[in-house]
Amino acid sequence: MRLIDTICAISTAQGMGAIAVIRLSGPDAIIITDKVFKSIKKEKKLNQQKANTLHYGTIVDGEKDIDEVIVALFKAPHSFTGEDTIEISCHGATYIQQQILQLLIKKGCRLAKPGEFTQRAFLNGKMDLSQAEAVADLIASKSEASRRVALQQMRGGFSNELTKLRERLLWFTSLIELELDFSEEDIEFANRKELFALVEELMSHLKRLIKSFSLGNVIKNGIPVAIVGHTNAGKSTLLNALLQEDKAIVSDIHGTTRDVIEDVINIEGISFRFIDTAGIRKTTDEIETIGINRTFSKISQATIVMLLIDAHDNDEKIHEAVSAVKNRMESEHQKMILVVNKTDLISDKELIDKFQSAKFNELTETDAIVPISAKQQINIEALTSELIKTINLSAIDNDEVIVTNARHYEALQQSLTSLERVEKGLYDMISGDFLAQDIRETLQYLGEITGQINTDEILGTIFKNFCIGK
Amino acid sequence: MRLIDTICAISTAQGMGAIAVIRLSGPDAIIITDKVFKSIKKEKKLNQQKANTLHYGTIVDGEKDIDEVIVALFKAPHSFTGEDTIEISCHGATYIQQQILQLLIKKGCRLAKPGEFTQRAFLNGKMDLSQAEAVADLIASKSEASRRVALQQMRGGFSNELTKLRERLLWFTSLIELELDFSEEDIEFANRKELFALVEELMSHLKRLIKSFSLGNVIKNGIPVAIVGHTNAGKSTLLNALLQEDKAIVSDIHGTTRDVIEDVINIEGISFRFIDTAGIRKTTDEIETIGINRTFSKISQATIVMLLIDAHDNDEKIHEAVSAVKNRMESEHQKMILVVNKTDLISDKELIDKFQSAKFNELTETDAIVPISAKQQINIEALTSELIKTINLSAIDNDEVIVTNARHYEALQQSLTSLERVEKGLYDMISGDFLAQDIRETLQYLGEITGQINTDEILGTIFKNFCIGK
């Protein structure tokens, strides 16, 4: 019995394509493939071939030919997983993919668990844990910013610096623990001044990383934007103008949009999750009421609330709507954009008179008023630029390290908390054993990020969210 | 300007996977990839690398890194298309796939049309037309039999023999046409006896191929089976027992199944397309009526009609149902299976008494009576074996050439018709010029199958049904 078995999985997207790729990794990957692969050049065994080469031939089950394929051969340690790896490109019929997969399992492979290829890459030292997590983020990336940050993290941009600081801290702990062995002699191996400087440096680094998470979270998950407004103000039309496609039902009948529809669009590399909502109005229609309740709950979840009003609405109605929405906005970080729709139907003078920002004392400085015509697609760009203003993109442009992972964020916060105890301990000149304990705790949390400290539980939680085949 | 440009497409299934493969083919495939690919080994250009090798590196757009990828390098003529070909394995995010594709287009590729890679393989002489068509069939194969027949056809099993016979016929035409040049001298270059033998041989070959199409069609498209019966007889439950999953709505309320649901299951390598239908009963419900009309139309389309009855039903009701369905069955080749459901609820003696085949003079010899319990999954295997009996699988087992393609079928029939004229002409000893004309026609039709004779129209029709990326 080998300790490590050979795993296999379909690595390309589910369903029918022109081709599909089945990946094998493990000590027997090449031997197992040799059992089912007949090269076009007779008697040629993959076993005797050079690494990083391609081979054309047939997948056979005994006498039965299954498919004509291309086999890619990678040899340990020069593969993604660090193990011998085979990638079989077969014809993309789901039936054929399944037949080959079943054949490989019959010949000794085990079906890979989600993320198991990447987990092996981690366990074989090809990448640390935060890099492994970035692989999943990269695969899930839906915008330019999320792709960029995930790629940077996968390349170790996040963990390299952290690992170095952790090693320096580890050195100090060793010195302090050495002191404990000589405690009766009252010797100080660890220079407290130097340790203090290191703690300060690390704390400032951690604080910067922790702070980056609010941007990181936005990059990874998109910015939630609620579109609210009276029925028939043109919410669906606006959403469609923004999406430039017809995902929401557009109709002239009041209260058509009953479900909360979510859609994501990319503006300058950032994802905005638009939430189209049922109109806010008094209604006796039961389903409609549910829709409206959802609207209000969406306001509190949104980072940006776009209140859409009709340019024709009278002042009272407008102010009532602004107040109603403002009352629902719970955080001071939420931004309201008052979108004045149907401006193509009133004169410029009327528009300016009616919507001078001075008239809206409900709005804060970060809020904005944007006149548009959703139907005529007028001034939509001004609206998108108002949306993008809410986030500071300079960090992405400067390739700064940005934390996008909630697990990292939590570990960083815990590291910081224990470091603050270390800092206070140094001020208070507490004894070495207490100091060492707090430092050890910091080391523990930092180690969890990169995986230098890992438990089956941490690994399990991380890799179960991967897709199979990666 | 080159006559042939370089094409690119995503070749793996749509959507997110662990990895995705983007394929380039054409004279500039390698040069274009070199523009956007930075190997892990600096300064290494794909241009200078050996064929059939794999290269790890980064896809870059100027200064911007897009993704870390593996590049597979194939060189003309040793590739699927016969041209220089590159396959880029990137991370499977749809966003990343699109970014790389757009980058390649920016650098000089053109987005491939459906089937264009295979079309190039055909145009470059890597395969004949019937083989190219088999590539699409292989990708679309959903059962063991369809995979097997498509693979055989892709390897030329169908066209090789046809091409040889065609060449022999071509030789005779040349001889006959030579005679025409010497017509005044009344010389016979082409031995009429030998020609006659060849025509006979070819005709018998064509007849066999034409006959195989009824099986080929079944293999490719599956056998349509209609499940009909009174409401509440358990049609949905039976379908579920057969599918072993819950695709149809099961309920105790009469008339629940309103839509005609199609599902395919594989039995011994053959696809059966099960058509679950609304119950046959008098109804005033409008939607229900549409369902029932559909039921009757499905009976005429089905190869097998399963009439499902309740074992409790009285004789009169049963015979009425059998007659009603039999009346709708238009072809003598249709088979009826009288499925007696809910047998777990009556005694064996009662069952035997009631359902002796002697009592059903409506049924023909190929029809059958099968007692089952859909709910308890009793005797379902007897039912499936009755289904599989309808087709003769020995042809598949003996790896005989089977025609699955309607275009080939039509061309074969036209070849046969013109050959019959040649045969008659030989009998009637018609003059060489008429004979040559009929043979030319045969050659034309045969050539269309393999693509030796092809028009843009034929090619257009064939390849437009491919998926993009193949």
Side-chain angles (χ1 to χ4, degrees), chain B residues 236-470:
Chain B
S236 301
T237 314
L238 171 60
L239 189 68
N240 288 337
L242 287 165
L243 288 171
Q244 293 180 322
E245 54 184 339
D246 265 286
K247 289 203 182 172
I249 313 146
V250 183
S251 150
D252 268 339
I253 309 158
H254 273 247
T256 303
T257 314
R258 292 196 174 168
D259 283 319
V260 173
I261 299 167
E262 282 210 20
D263 256 308
V264 175
I265 64 167
N266 287 319
I267 302 172
E268 294 182 28
I270 297 291
S271 293
F272 289 82
R273 288 188 289 113
F274 282 90
I275 308 157
D276 181 27
T277 50
I280 300 169
R281 64 166 175 136
K282 286 177 187 124
T283 174
T284 51
D285 182 329
E286 200 188 331
I287 298 171
E288 186 73 30
T289 309
I290 295 167
I292 288 175
N293 286 338
R294 281 201 202 143
T295 298
F296 284 126
S297 79
K298 289 292 168 184
I299 288 178
S300 61
Q301 291 163 26
T303 302
I304 301 171
V305 180
M306 296 207 308
L307 172 59
L308 189 66
I309 56 165
D310 191 320
H312 290 102
D313 286 353
N314 62 43
D315 286 9
E316 194 194 345
K317 193 173 172 187
I318 294 167
H319 283 278
E320 201 179 279
V322 172
S323 298
V325 173
K326 268 287 172 188
N327 285 338
R328 292 280 170 172
M329 289 168 64
E330 288 161 8
S331 155
E332 58 193 275
H333 297 297
Q334 285 180 302
K335 170 177 180 156
M336 177 194 272
I337 304 177
L338 181 61
V339 185
V340 183
N341 194 17
K342 307 188 187 178
T343 54
D344 52 325
L345 303 176
I346 69 166
S347 72
D348 284 358
K349 190 184 171 302
E350 200 184 340
L351 186 68
I352 292 165
D353 282 354
K354 206 164 166 184
F355 295 99
Q356 284 170 346
S357 51
K359 290 181 115 179
F360 293 89
N361 53 20
E362 299 96 336
L363 301 186
T364 66
E365 228 166 80
T366 51
D367 293 340
I369 302 174
V370 184
I372 63 157
S373 164
K375 202 169 179 183
Q376 307 295 331
Q377 306 226 5
I378 297 168
N379 221 27
I380 303 295
E381 273 180 34
L383 183 56
T384 56
S385 89
E386 201 58 58
L387 288 168
I388 204 80
K389 255 192 210 169
T390 46
I391 40 169
N392 176 12
L393 293 176
S394 63
I396 305 173
D397 290 337
N398 297 330
D399 263 340
E400 277 178 33
V401 172
I402 296 163
V403 178
T404 58
N405 186 307
R407 187 182 76 82
H408 300 169
Y409 174 70
E410 208 174 304
L412 287 168
Q413 278 194 316
Q414 286 168 320
S415 308
L416 185 62
T417 307
S418 53
L419 261 187
E420 280 166 351
R421 274 203 305 276
V422 176
E423 188 193 31
K424 188 169 180 300
L426 284 169
Y427 268 123
D428 297 350
M429 294 187 287
I430 58 167
S431 68
D433 48 351
F434 286 115
L435 206 55
Q437 195 183 324
D438 286 335
I439 298 179
R440 281 277 164 208
E441 207 179 299
T442 310
L443 289 169
Q444 164 83 24
Y445 290 127
L446 290 179
E448 278 180 12
I449 295 173
T450 52
Q452 286 153 303
I453 308 287
N454 71 70
T455 63
D456 284 350
E457 197 192 331
I458 293 180
L459 296 188
T461 312
I462 290 170
F463 289 104
K464 79 170 181 214
N465 294 319
F466 271 63
C467 55
I468 285 178
K470 193 70 207 181

Side-chain angles (χ1 to χ4, degrees), chain A residues 363-379:
Chain A
L363 301 185
T364 65
E365 227 166 79
T366 51
D367 293 341
I369 303 173
V370 183
I372 64 157
S373 164
K375 202 169 179 184
Q376 307 295 333
Q377 306 225 7
I378 297 166
N379 221 27

